[in-house]
């Protein structure tokens, strides 16, 4: 997806539509509230969020309805969103004012990605996509039960009413989807008809033709669903999902599943959760800025914003951390070049902005000697406490079973069996999520995808031995990082070395960390080599993105003769088997967002990230990569089949033993 800077809307002072109008045109036009009654979930897709009044009126109607659906997803695309201050200044009807205040409090920076805002203890989810409607619609992975179409006349919103918009709506429409719009303009009705919607004008009380309502009734067989998990393997809601691994990934998944209404059992081989990579005293989270704004930068931007929301909520329960920002120093880049990138990408300052060395020093509370990105939405958190908080938030929906290692997965009678080293069955489950670090459970001898286990060491020095002029009050990163003091000590690091199996801290690595922090903070005074720290092992995929999603069915890939699998979304999947692995050195951000991706895939809710980012983190991307490379080298199904068999053996052992 091409991203373009978001242009904020002009100042607004009052609502365009009142609750009664929204109720008449959009809610009643879609048969609401009646159609959401008795449903587990209901998804509304809107083109044009504007002042948010349609959403607020819908939320008010949902709140007031005793028979409402359990979960309401409201997905809205807005090409020119309001800044938070403009949003806050809009005059609202008294009935909507308190809801509007909640919306403003959660209002995100205007960056081009999906923003997830959660209300009513997670029962109502607002997914906001800022940018062009026609570009966004094909990127949404969901099933819409109702459409709210913004705009009053085709001349007013020509881009929002382009034929490809209506076509894309048809692709995400549930079989019984309905649609309503503010106008009954002919071109709108013609466009909807072309895309498979039958519409009729709705008259107001005075008999004037005011709006349009309709339903999806295609006279053609439409292409398959936009979802990429095996639809035949939808998780039965009445049994728990089994999660292997009680680190950041596993605990975040348990929490996200609970919010989606599903229970889970987390299997952790250690006596306590968060003892391995997730066992550090503190970790940072922040976005990535890159001039090209490619998938890597876009994923980690969305992930950092998701982490911020989680950490901000966790801080309220006493989890140590901060969401007050973070500095990333750029020693090799000029300030002018950085400002040019920021301007070209149109980065909002509440996400990231460029600061010169003097301002960076003022923010950090210690002199710094390089320009920096100030990530206002970044911060730090204690990952151990965050893991515990995620499990606490899941409440009775999450159970933890510690002290037993899962040795292997077996497929038996349509279910997954988790067995220990003695082949004793630990659990039988319809749905399993591998959150074991690297997904090595799939094949103990060699990893199922191109990942490496990388050794990392952090160092810590007591405040007493630290040069007093060089104590930062917020995290500072660059080549390495340093945190503000935590309980009388300063933590800094971290090394990145190939795994040699040695978990002991080493003097050489402490020295390397010390040299890094001296350069970062321009420390010239002598310092004692630290003698305290912690070693951990991070799993890293070769493309530096996490591995999140449904696991490919390599037996089906090998057997297929017709379709090509050059895009991950086309690759067949093993039923009910998911991974959230290889979180690398950005585990906090990747866990926060990746867990939502897993929960939406299992529960059937809208994906919290766009389709090309789903591709970017999809476990099947490695299959597609091999297909593309082998297709470039030699064409033909035969070559593809050989490749698939080789991959199959590498991934699952001879004969694809885990295939159904
Ligand atoms: C030195 C260092 C510094 C870092 N700094 C940062 C930072 O500043 N910011 C940041 O975001 N990230 C940072 N990271 C990375 C981050 O810590 C990891 O990405 C993250 O912890 C990975 O979480 P995880 O849940 O995937 O893995 P883990 O925390 O390793 O959890 C996997 C869990 O699965 C369990 N398990 C594995 N196999 C089995 C099995 N067969 N049966 C039962 N249980 C099993 C393990 O015991 C473990 O508890 C750092 C990492 C290191 C090492």
């Amino acid at each position: 997806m091409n991203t373009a800077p978001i242009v904020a809307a002009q100042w607004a002072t009052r609502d365009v539509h009142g609750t009664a109008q929204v109720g008449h045109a959009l809610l009643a036009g879609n048969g609401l509230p009646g159609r959401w009654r008795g449903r587990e979930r209901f998804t509304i897709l809107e083109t044009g969020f504007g002042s948010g009044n349609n959403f607020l009126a819908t939320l008010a109607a949902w709140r007031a309805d005793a028979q409402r659906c359990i979960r309401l997803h409201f997905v809205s695309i807005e090409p020119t969103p309001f800044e938070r201050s403009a949003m806050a200044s809009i005059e609202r009807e008294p009935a909507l004012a308190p809801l509007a205040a909640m919306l403003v409090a959660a209002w995100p920076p205007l960056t081009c990605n999906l923003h997830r805002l959660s209300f009513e203890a997670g029962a109502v989810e607002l997914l906001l996509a800022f940018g062009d409607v026609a570009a966004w619609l094909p990127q949404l992975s969901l099933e819409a039960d109702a459409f709210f179409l913004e705009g009053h006349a085709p001349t007013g919103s020509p881009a929002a009413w382009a034929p490809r918009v209506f076509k894309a709506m048809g692709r995400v429409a549930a079989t019984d989807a309905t649609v309503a719009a503010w106008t009954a303009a002919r071109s709108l009705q013609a466009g909807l008809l072309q895309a498979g919607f039958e519409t009729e004008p709705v008259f107001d009380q005075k008999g004037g033709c005011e709006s349009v309502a309709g339903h999806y009734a295609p006279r053609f067989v439409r292409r398959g669903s936009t979802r990429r998990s095996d639809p035949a393997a939808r998780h039965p809601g009445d049994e728990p999902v089994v999660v292997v691994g009680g680190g950041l990934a596993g605990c975040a998944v348990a929490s996200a599943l609970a919010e989606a209404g599903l229970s889970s059992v987390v299997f952790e081989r250690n006596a306590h959760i968060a003892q391995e990579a997730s066992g550090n005293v503190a970790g940072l989270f922040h976005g990535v800025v890159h001039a090209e704004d490619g998938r890597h930068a876009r994923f980690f931007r969305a992930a950092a914003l998701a982490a911020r929301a989680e950490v901000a909520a966790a801080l309220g329960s006493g989890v140590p951390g901060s969401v007050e920002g973070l500095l990333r120093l750029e020693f090799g880049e000029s300030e002018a070049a950085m400002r040019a990138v920021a301007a070209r990408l149109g980065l909002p300052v509440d996400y990231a902005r460029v600061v010169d060395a003097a301002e960076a020093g003022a923010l950090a509370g210690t002199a710094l000697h390089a320009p920096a990105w100030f990530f206002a939405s970044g911060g730090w958190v204690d990952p151990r406490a965050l893991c515990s908080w995620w499990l606490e938030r899941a409440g009775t929906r999450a159970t933890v079973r510690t002290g037993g290692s899962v040795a292997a997965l077996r497929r038996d009678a349509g279910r997954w069996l988790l067995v220990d080293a003695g082949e004793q069955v630990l659990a039988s489950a319809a749905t399993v999520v591998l959150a074991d670090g690297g997904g090595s459970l799939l094949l103990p001898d060699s990893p199922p995808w191109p990942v490496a286990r990388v050794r990392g060491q952090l160092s810590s020095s007591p405040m007493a031995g630290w040069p007093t002029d060089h104590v930062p009050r917020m995290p500072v990163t660059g080549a390495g990082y340093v945190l503000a003091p935590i309980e009388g000590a300063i933590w800094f690091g971290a090394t990145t070395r190939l795994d040699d199996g040695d978990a002991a801290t080493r003097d050489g690595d402490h020295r390397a960390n010390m040299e890094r922090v001296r350069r970062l903070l321009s420390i010239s005074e002598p310092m004692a080599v630290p003698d305290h720290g912690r070693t951990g092992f991070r799993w890293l995929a070769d493309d530096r993105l996490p591995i999140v999603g449904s696991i490919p069915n390599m037996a089906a890939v090998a057997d297929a003769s017709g379709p090509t699998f050059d895009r991950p979304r086309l690759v067949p999947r093993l039923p009910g088997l998911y991974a959230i692995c290889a979180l690398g050195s950005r585990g906090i951000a990747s866990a926060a967002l990746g867990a939502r991706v897993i929960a939406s895939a299992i529960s059937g809710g809208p994906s919290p990230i766009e389709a090309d980012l789903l591709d970017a983190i999809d476990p099947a991307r490695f299959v597609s990569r091999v297909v593309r490379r082998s297709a470039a080298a030699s064409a033909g199904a035969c070559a593809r089949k050989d490749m698939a068999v080789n991959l199959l053996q590498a991934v699952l052992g001879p004969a694809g033993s885990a295939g159904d």
Side-chain angles (χ1 to χ4, degrees):
M1 178 174 170
N2 288 328
T3 57
I6 306 297
V7 182
Q10 296 303 306
W11 207 252
T13 51
R14 56 184 302 279
D15 295 338
V16 180
H17 301 118
T19 317
Q21 287 165 294
V22 176
H24 171 69
L26 300 182
L27 290 173
N30 274 295
L32 296 173
R35 284 186 60 237
W36 68 34
R37 290 193 173 141
R39 300 264 305 255
E40 160 66 27
R41 71 180 67 253
F42 194 89
T43 301
I44 296 172
L45 176 54
E46 178 187 54
T47 57
F49 190 74
S51 67
N53 227 40
N54 299 343
F55 167 69
L56 296 174
T58 305
L59 176 57
W62 180 87
R63 273 183 157 194
D65 185 7
Q67 299 171 60
R68 62 196 176 210
C69 52
I70 297 172
R71 260 162 211 84
L72 178 66
H73 304 276
F74 195 101
V75 185
S76 188
I77 309 171
E78 176 52 59
T80 50
F82 287 110
E83 306 267 11
R84 178 199 291 256
S85 52
M87 203 71 178
S89 71
I90 297 173
E91 263 178 56
R92 311 274 183 180
E93 287 175 43
L96 296 187
L99 301 181
M102 284 179 358
L103 178 63
V104 170
W107 196 244
L110 304 189
T111 55
C112 183
N113 46 268
L114 273 170
H115 298 271
R116 180 179 181 277
L117 279 56
S118 170
F119 303 95
E120 309 291 318
V124 176
E125 177 188 77
L126 171 62
L127 278 177
L128 283 169
F130 296 146
D132 181 51
V133 173
W136 263 110
L137 271 174
Q139 289 288 336
L140 299 177
S141 186
L142 52 80
E143 253 184 25
D145 300 299
F147 292 91
F148 288 8
L149 299 190
E150 239 332 358
H152 289 264
T155 46
S157 7
W161 288 10
R164 65 188 176 123
V165 168
F166 298 121
K167 223 173 171 181
M169 280 172 50
R171 249 178 252 132
V172 295
T175 45
D176 61 347
T178 54
V179 62
W182 287 109
T183 168
R186 258 212 215 142
S187 56
L188 171 75
Q189 296 200 60
L192 285 170
L193 189 65
Q194 280 277 318
F197 293 87
E198 284 178 3
T199 58
E200 55 188 42
V202 177
F203 295 93
D204 62 13
Q205 282 160 351
K206 293 176 204 138
C209 172
E210 194 182 39
S211 53
V212 75
H215 64 281
Y216 189 53
R219 278 174 238 132
F220 45 82
V221 179
R222 64 176 181 168
R223 285 199 274 166
S225 148
T226 56
R227 308 200 68 92
R228 60 192 72 200
S229 48
D230 181 346
R234 191 52 59 79
H235 178 73
D238 54 351
E239 68 166 272
V241 173
V242 166
V243 180
V244 183
L248 281 165
C251 297
V253 165
S255 170
L257 286 172
E259 211 169 295
L262 298 173
S263 57
S264 61
V265 180
V266 179
F267 280 81
E268 168 53 53
R269 65 184 166 196
N270 292 306
H272 301 284
I273 58 158
Q275 299 293 297
E276 304 213 355
S278 308
N280 291 337
V281 169
L284 315 176
F285 60 91
H286 60 96
V288 169
V289 176
H290 190 275
E292 300 305 321
D293 205 33
R295 291 176 175 196
H296 187 268
R298 285 169 43 223
F299 175 80
F300 284 113
R301 176 167 67 225
L305 292 170
R308 187 190 192 282
E310 297 290 309
V311 172
L315 296 183
S317 301
V319 169
S322 159
V323 291
E324 298 298 312
L326 169 154
L327 287 159
R328 186 183 163 81
L329 302 190
E330 294 287 351
F331 285 97
E333 199 76 68
S334 77
E335 189 189 323
M338 292 164 68
R339 288 195 189 280
V341 169
R344 215 187 97 211
L345 297 177
L347 294 180
V349 295
D350 47 354
Y351 170 60
R353 69 185 169 92
V354 179
V355 292
D356 62 18
E359 189 179 355
L363 285 164
T366 176
L368 296 172
H369 293 95
W373 291 103
F374 175 57
F375 286 95
S377 51
W380 71 274
V381 70
D382 176 341
R384 305 160 303 178
L386 182 62
C387 286
S388 300
W389 178 77
W390 267 325
L391 292 177
E392 273 161 34
R393 188 168 67 173
T396 53
R397 286 214 159 103
T399 310
V400 182
R401 283 180 56 181
T402 52
S405 189
V406 180
L409 277 173
R410 306 264 179 259
R411 190 75 179 148
D412 182 52
R415 294 182 65 80
W416 294 105
L417 302 184
L418 286 80
V419 298
D420 67 11
E423 285 291 320
Q424 290 294 312
V425 175
L426 299 169
S428 155
T431 307
V432 174
V433 180
L434 297 180
D436 60 337
S440 45
L441 248 190
L442 281 174
L443 188 70
D445 296 335
S446 68
W449 21 61
V451 285
R453 193 167 178 257
V454 178
R455 184 183 187 282
Q457 183 173 316
L458 279 168
S459 304
S460 115
S461 287
M463 282 291 288
W466 195 266
T468 46
D469 287 346
H470 299 280
V471 180
R473 60 174 168 236
M474 69 169 56
V476 179
T477 79
Y481 64 82
V482 55
L483 286 139
I486 300 170
E487 293 180 357
I490 293 199
W491 284 86
F492 53 100
T495 56
T496 302
R497 304 198 191 284
L498 276 181
D499 177 19
D500 56 7
D502 180 11
T505 53
R506 297 170 183 160
D507 274 357
D509 284 15
H510 281 320
R511 273 179 216 284
N513 283 337
M514 196 178 78
E515 286 318 311
R516 257 192 223 114
V517 81
R518 287 172 72 83
R519 181 167 148 71
L520 204 58
L521 299 182
S522 306
I523 301 175
S524 52
E525 296 89 327
M527 286 170 73
V529 177
D531 59 3
H532 184 63
R534 185 176 188 276
T535 302
F537 297 90
R538 348 161 164 91
W539 286 91
L540 204 61
D542 65 355
D543 57 8
R544 303 290 190 272
L545 281 162
I547 296 174
V548 182
S550 167
I551 295 182
N553 183 341
M554 298 309 299
V557 169
D559 284 349
S561 53
T564 58
F565 303 124
D566 56 350
R567 284 187 300 157
R569 61 190 80 171
L570 303 176
V571 175
R573 308 296 163 141
L574 288 170
L577 189 58
Y578 299 83
I580 172 165
C581 295
L583 304 193
S585 13
R586 292 175 175 266
I588 296 164
S590 296
L593 186 57
R596 300 280 177 198
V597 172
I598 295 287
S600 77
I602 295 175
S603 67
S607 166
I609 58 174
E610 51 269 41
D612 71 338
L613 292 188
L614 282 176
D615 283 345
I617 60 170
D618 195 321
R621 68 188 188 265
F622 306 108
V623 177
S624 299
R625 188 203 287 174
V626 176
V627 170
R628 285 196 303 271
R629 284 182 187 162
S630 97
S634 64
C638 210
R640 190 173 64 241
K641 186 160 179 164
D642 291 348
M643 174 282 307
V645 170
N646 291 343
L647 243 175
L648 170 70
Q649 283 170 356
V651 174
L652 295 174
S657 49
D660 243 6

